[in-house]
Amino acid sequence: MPLRKEYLLVSSEDRMLPTRQTTTNFICQLPNPIGNIVKTDLVSVSADYRIANITAPNNSFTITYWNYGLTIPALETEVVIIPEALYTNSELLVAIVQGINQILTNNGALSICTGILIGSVIRLELEFPQIPTTTNEKKFTITCTSPTFRVVLGMTSSSISGTYISSIGAFGGARITMPSGITLTGLFPYFLIQSVALGNDTMTTKGLYFWRAIVNNPYNTTLEVANNRTDDYVYAPKMIYEIDVRIIFPNGSIVDNRGGVFAFLVELVILEELTFDE
Protein backbone atom coordinates (compact mmCIF):
# COMPACT_ATOMS: atom_id res chain seq x y z
CA MET A 1 0.00 0.00 0.00
CA PRO A 2 1.30 3.50 -0.77
CA LEU A 3 2.39 5.89 1.95
CA ARG A 4 1.40 9.53 2.16
CA LYS A 5 2.87 12.26 4.38
CA GLU A 6 0.93 15.00 6.08
CA TYR A 7 2.21 17.75 8.36
CA LEU A 8 0.56 19.01 11.49
CA LEU A 9 1.49 22.11 13.49
CA VAL A 10 0.94 21.55 17.20
CA SER A 11 0.95 24.78 19.20
CA SER A 12 0.29 25.57 22.83
CA GLU A 13 -1.73 28.55 21.59
CA ASP A 14 -4.31 26.08 20.28
CA ARG A 15 -4.60 24.11 23.51
CA MET A 16 -8.09 23.31 24.67
CA LEU A 17 -9.74 23.96 28.02
CA PRO A 18 -9.17 23.02 30.79
CA THR A 19 -5.50 22.70 29.88
CA ARG A 20 -4.90 26.36 28.96
CA GLN A 21 -3.14 27.12 32.22
CA THR A 22 0.21 25.77 30.98
CA THR A 23 2.04 25.89 27.66
CA THR A 24 4.16 22.79 28.34
CA ASN A 25 1.41 20.40 29.44
CA PHE A 26 -1.64 20.62 27.19
CA ILE A 27 -4.01 18.95 24.73
CA CYS A 28 -4.93 20.09 21.21
CA GLN A 29 -8.19 18.84 19.75
CA LEU A 30 -8.05 17.99 16.03
CA PRO A 31 -10.83 19.43 13.85
CA ASN A 32 -11.15 16.01 12.20
CA PRO A 33 -9.73 12.64 13.22
CA ILE A 34 -6.73 11.42 11.24
CA GLY A 35 -6.61 7.67 10.57
CA ASN A 36 -4.25 5.02 9.21
CA ILE A 37 -1.20 6.69 10.80
CA VAL A 38 1.77 4.31 10.78
CA LYS A 39 4.51 6.72 11.86
CA THR A 40 4.93 10.12 13.47
CA ASP A 41 8.07 12.22 13.61
CA LEU A 42 9.36 15.59 14.75
CA VAL A 43 10.32 18.02 11.98
CA SER A 44 10.99 21.32 13.75
CA VAL A 45 10.49 23.11 17.06
CA SER A 46 9.65 26.71 17.87
CA ALA A 47 9.59 28.07 21.41
CA ASP A 48 9.27 31.45 23.04
CA TYR A 49 12.13 30.57 25.40
CA ARG A 50 11.13 31.75 28.89
CA ILE A 51 12.46 28.79 30.82
CA ALA A 52 13.59 29.71 34.33
CA ASN A 53 14.99 27.77 37.25
CA ILE A 54 14.33 30.53 39.78
CA THR A 55 10.81 31.92 39.93
CA ALA A 56 8.61 33.67 42.48
CA PRO A 57 7.66 33.00 45.19
CA ASN A 58 10.73 30.79 45.64
CA ASN A 59 13.29 33.50 44.92
CA SER A 60 14.00 35.43 48.10
CA PHE A 61 15.82 35.25 51.41
CA THR A 62 16.55 37.70 54.24
CA ILE A 63 19.84 38.95 55.62
CA THR A 64 20.42 40.18 59.14
CA TYR A 65 23.49 42.36 59.65
CA TRP A 66 24.88 45.17 61.79
CA ASN A 67 24.42 48.54 60.10
CA TYR A 68 27.54 50.48 61.01
CA GLY A 69 26.37 53.50 58.98
CA LEU A 70 23.41 54.47 61.14
CA THR A 71 23.67 57.40 63.53
CA ILE A 72 22.95 54.82 66.19
CA PRO A 73 24.25 51.53 64.70
CA ALA A 74 21.83 48.62 65.02
CA LEU A 75 20.86 45.23 63.61
CA GLU A 76 18.78 45.33 60.44
CA THR A 77 16.92 42.62 58.53
CA GLU A 78 16.21 43.05 54.82
CA VAL A 79 14.78 40.90 52.03
CA VAL A 80 16.97 39.99 49.05
CA ILE A 81 14.98 39.12 45.90
CA ILE A 82 16.67 37.22 43.09
CA PRO A 83 15.10 38.19 39.73
CA GLU A 84 13.30 35.40 37.86
CA ALA A 85 15.57 33.89 35.21
CA LEU A 86 17.46 30.82 34.04
CA TYR A 87 20.68 30.80 36.08
CA THR A 88 23.92 28.87 36.04
CA ASN A 89 25.77 28.41 39.34
CA SER A 90 28.12 31.33 38.70
CA GLU A 91 25.29 33.60 37.54
CA LEU A 92 23.32 32.82 40.69
CA LEU A 93 26.31 33.71 42.87
CA VAL A 94 26.66 37.06 41.07
CA ALA A 95 22.94 37.78 41.54
CA ILE A 96 23.12 36.97 45.26
CA VAL A 97 26.17 39.16 45.88
CA GLN A 98 24.69 42.01 43.85
CA GLY A 99 21.39 41.76 45.71
CA ILE A 100 23.07 41.87 49.12
CA ASN A 101 25.35 44.76 48.18
CA GLN A 102 22.44 46.72 46.75
CA ILE A 103 20.70 46.55 50.13
CA LEU A 104 23.88 47.44 52.01
CA THR A 105 24.45 50.44 49.73
CA ASN A 106 20.84 51.63 49.90
CA ASN A 107 20.91 51.47 53.69
CA GLY A 108 24.34 53.09 54.01
CA ALA A 109 25.64 50.06 55.90
CA LEU A 110 29.30 50.58 54.88
CA SER A 111 29.90 46.81 54.81
CA ILE A 112 30.69 44.98 51.54
CA CYS A 113 29.72 41.45 50.53
CA THR A 114 31.91 39.24 48.33
CA GLY A 115 31.38 35.66 47.24
CA ILE A 116 33.05 32.67 45.61
CA LEU A 117 32.07 29.17 44.54
CA ILE A 118 33.89 26.23 46.06
CA GLY A 119 32.87 23.68 43.48
CA SER A 120 29.11 24.31 43.56
CA VAL A 121 29.06 25.53 47.19
CA ILE A 122 28.41 29.22 47.87
CA ARG A 123 30.73 31.06 50.24
CA LEU A 124 29.84 34.64 51.20
CA GLU A 125 31.95 37.06 53.20
CA LEU A 126 30.73 40.32 54.72
CA GLU A 127 33.63 42.74 55.24
CA PHE A 128 33.20 45.12 58.18
CA PRO A 129 34.15 48.83 57.98
CA GLN A 130 35.67 48.76 61.48
CA ILE A 131 36.78 46.22 64.03
CA PRO A 132 33.69 44.76 65.76
CA THR A 133 33.59 44.66 69.54
CA THR A 134 30.25 42.97 70.26
CA THR A 135 28.44 39.84 69.09
CA ASN A 136 25.80 41.89 67.24
CA GLU A 137 28.48 43.81 65.34
CA LYS A 138 29.74 40.46 63.99
CA LYS A 139 26.27 39.41 62.91
CA PHE A 140 25.61 38.12 59.39
CA THR A 141 22.71 35.70 59.02
CA ILE A 142 20.81 34.39 55.99
CA THR A 143 17.27 33.09 56.50
CA CYS A 144 15.16 31.44 53.81
CA THR A 145 11.56 30.42 54.48
CA SER A 146 11.08 28.67 51.12
CA PRO A 147 12.08 24.98 51.29
CA THR A 148 12.41 25.01 47.48
CA PHE A 149 14.79 27.95 47.41
CA ARG A 150 16.79 26.59 50.35
CA VAL A 151 17.65 23.56 48.22
CA VAL A 152 18.73 25.86 45.38
CA LEU A 153 21.01 27.85 47.69
CA GLY A 154 22.47 24.76 49.33
CA MET A 155 20.93 25.44 52.75
CA THR A 156 19.96 22.47 54.91
CA SER A 157 18.05 24.54 57.48
CA SER A 158 16.01 27.72 57.41
CA SER A 159 18.80 29.88 58.80
CA ILE A 160 22.60 29.97 58.71
CA SER A 161 24.87 32.41 60.54
CA GLY A 162 28.31 33.59 59.61
CA THR A 163 31.51 32.96 61.50
CA TYR A 164 33.73 35.90 62.43
CA ILE A 165 37.08 35.78 60.61
CA SER A 166 39.58 38.46 61.62
CA SER A 167 41.58 38.09 58.38
CA ILE A 168 38.69 39.13 56.13
CA GLY A 169 39.36 42.62 54.76
CA ALA A 170 41.10 45.23 56.88
CA PHE A 171 38.82 44.95 59.94
CA GLY A 172 37.56 41.36 59.85
CA GLY A 173 34.27 40.02 58.62
CA ALA A 174 31.69 37.25 58.77
CA ARG A 175 31.85 34.19 56.55
CA ILE A 176 28.93 31.98 55.51
CA THR A 177 29.66 28.71 53.72
CA MET A 178 26.57 26.82 52.61
CA PRO A 179 26.51 23.23 53.84
CA SER A 180 25.56 21.88 50.42
CA GLY A 181 26.02 22.75 46.75
CA ILE A 182 23.71 24.77 44.54
CA THR A 183 20.90 22.73 42.97
CA LEU A 184 19.51 24.25 39.78
CA THR A 185 17.12 22.68 37.28
CA GLY A 186 16.72 23.71 33.65
CA LEU A 187 20.36 23.20 32.69
CA PHE A 188 19.81 19.75 31.21
CA PRO A 189 21.29 19.31 27.71
CA TYR A 190 17.97 18.11 26.33
CA PHE A 191 14.21 18.08 26.91
CA LEU A 192 11.73 15.31 26.16
CA ILE A 193 8.34 15.50 24.48
CA GLN A 194 5.84 13.01 25.85
CA SER A 195 2.70 12.25 23.85
CA VAL A 196 0.50 9.19 24.08
CA ALA A 197 -1.21 10.12 20.81
CA LEU A 198 2.03 10.46 18.85
CA GLY A 199 3.60 7.41 20.47
CA ASN A 200 5.92 7.19 23.48
CA ASP A 201 8.15 4.62 21.80
CA THR A 202 11.55 5.69 23.20
CA MET A 203 12.92 5.09 26.68
CA THR A 204 15.79 6.57 28.67
CA THR A 205 18.22 4.33 30.56
CA LYS A 206 16.27 5.20 33.72
CA GLY A 207 13.01 3.91 32.22
CA LEU A 208 11.38 7.22 31.29
CA TYR A 209 9.25 6.89 28.14
CA PHE A 210 8.91 9.73 25.65
CA TRP A 211 8.12 10.49 22.01
CA ARG A 212 11.02 12.66 20.82
CA ALA A 213 13.98 14.56 22.32
CA ILE A 214 14.99 18.21 21.87
CA VAL A 215 18.52 19.55 22.34
CA ASN A 216 18.53 22.37 24.91
CA ASN A 217 21.18 25.08 24.99
CA PRO A 218 20.42 27.03 28.19
CA TYR A 219 23.39 29.35 27.63
CA ASN A 220 22.05 30.60 24.28
CA THR A 221 18.39 29.90 25.15
CA THR A 222 17.75 27.81 22.04
CA LEU A 223 16.13 24.46 21.27
CA GLU A 224 16.99 22.18 18.35
CA VAL A 225 15.53 18.97 16.96
CA ALA A 226 17.65 15.99 18.00
CA ASN A 227 16.14 13.25 15.83
CA ASN A 228 17.05 11.79 12.46
CA ARG A 229 13.91 11.09 10.48
CA THR A 230 13.65 8.05 8.23
CA ASP A 231 11.08 6.66 5.83
CA ASP A 232 10.69 3.46 7.81
CA TYR A 233 7.45 2.94 9.66
CA VAL A 234 6.92 0.76 12.68
CA TYR A 235 3.39 1.39 13.95
CA ALA A 236 0.25 -0.57 13.33
CA PRO A 237 -2.20 1.85 11.68
CA LYS A 238 -3.93 4.03 14.26
CA MET A 239 -6.28 7.01 14.46
CA ILE A 240 -5.76 10.14 16.53
CA TYR A 241 -8.42 12.56 17.68
CA GLU A 242 -6.30 14.88 19.79
CA ILE A 243 -2.63 15.56 20.54
CA ASP A 244 -1.51 15.42 24.16
CA VAL A 245 1.80 17.13 24.97
CA ARG A 246 4.07 17.17 28.02
CA ILE A 247 7.47 18.86 27.82
CA ILE A 248 9.66 17.38 30.54
CA PHE A 249 13.20 17.40 31.86
CA PRO A 250 15.14 14.12 31.87
CA ASN A 251 14.35 13.77 35.58
CA GLY A 252 10.63 13.65 34.74
CA SER A 253 9.62 17.10 36.00
CA ILE A 254 7.59 19.33 33.69
CA VAL A 255 9.42 22.25 32.07
CA ASP A 256 8.18 25.66 33.23
CA ASN A 257 8.25 27.99 30.22
CA ARG A 258 6.40 30.72 32.16
CA GLY A 259 3.61 31.04 29.58
CA GLY A 260 5.88 31.13 26.55
CA VAL A 261 4.44 29.58 23.39
CA PHE A 262 5.70 26.11 22.51
CA ALA A 263 5.03 24.72 19.02
CA PHE A 264 6.38 21.94 16.84
CA LEU A 265 5.78 20.51 13.39
CA VAL A 266 4.80 16.84 13.20
CA GLU A 267 5.21 14.61 10.18
CA LEU A 268 2.46 11.99 9.88
CA VAL A 269 3.04 8.97 7.64
CA ILE A 270 -0.34 7.64 6.52
CA LEU A 271 -1.04 4.29 4.94
CA GLU A 272 -3.40 4.77 2.02
CA GLU A 273 -5.83 2.05 1.11
CA LEU A 274 -5.77 0.89 -2.48
CA THR A 275 -8.93 1.26 -4.52
CA PHE A 276 -9.64 -0.72 -7.67
CA ASP A 277 -11.81 0.39 -10.52
CA GLU A 278 -14.37 -2.16 -11.59
Side-chain angles (χ1 to χ4, degrees), residues 26-245:
F26 61 90
I27 296 174
C28 289
Q29 185 77 47
L30 298 181
N32 298 296
I34 303 176
N36 283 339
I37 299 172
V38 293
K39 188 175 187 294
T40 63
D41 224 328
L42 180 63
V43 179
S44 62
V45 174
S46 174
D48 182 10
Y49 201 109
R50 299 181 188 173
I51 298 162
N53 48 22
I54 293 182
T55 57
N58 301 308
N59 64 330
S60 66
F61 59 89
T62 62
I63 58 170
T64 300
Y65 62 96
W66 183 258
N67 191 336
Y68 288 89
L70 296 176
T71 303
I72 302 177
L75 284 175
E76 292 192 331
T77 298
E78 297 284 351
V79 177
V80 178
I81 298 175
I82 304 301
E84 294 186 338
L86 183 65
Y87 290 87
T88 63
N89 289 1
S90 58
E91 289 169 343
L92 177 58
L93 175 66
V94 170
I96 290 171
V97 172
Q98 287 180 343
I100 293 175
N101 280 325
Q102 186 64 53
I103 286 174
L104 296 175
T105 299
N106 291 346
N107 292 346
L110 304 179
S111 297
I112 299 173
C113 180
T114 59
I116 61 170
L117 286 177
I118 305 173
S120 63
V121 174
I122 296 173
R123 171 173 287 177
L124 301 173
E125 293 182 346
L126 190 67
E127 297 181 14
F128 301 142
Q130 63 187 55
I131 297 176
T133 58
T134 66
T135 299
N136 280 344
E137 291 176 47
K138 299 176 182 179
K139 190 85 169 180
F140 180 38
T141 299
I142 290 178
T143 303
C144 183
T145 59
S146 165
T148 300
F149 200 40
R150 285 202 295 267
V151 172
V152 171
L153 297 174
M155 297 176 65
T156 54
S157 60
S158 60
S159 185
I160 182 170
S161 294
T163 301
Y164 176 69
I165 307 291
S166 60
S167 60
I168 294 176
F171 304 103
R175 174 183 292 166
I176 290 178
T177 302
M178 296 300 180
S180 184
I182 295 171
T183 301
L184 288 170
T185 62
L187 302 177
F188 296 103
Y190 59 92
F191 296 158
L192 305 175
I193 302 177
Q194 286 185 328
S195 176
V196 174
L198 298 176
N200 291 320
D201 57 3
T202 308
M203 184 177 68
T204 68
T205 54
K206 292 186 177 181
L208 185 65
Y209 283 92
F210 63 98
W211 175 58
R212 293 295 182 266
I214 312 168
V215 174
N216 175 44
N217 187 336
Y219 305 99
N220 294 323
T221 61
T222 58
L223 300 173
E224 297 178 9
V225 174
N227 311 283
N228 295 318
R229 295 183 296 128
T230 69
D231 290 329
D232 299 329
Y233 64 94
V234 294
Y235 301 149
K238 65 179 179 180
M239 179 174 289
I240 58 174
Y241 300 86
E242 61 186 25
I243 307 293
D244 59 299
V245 176

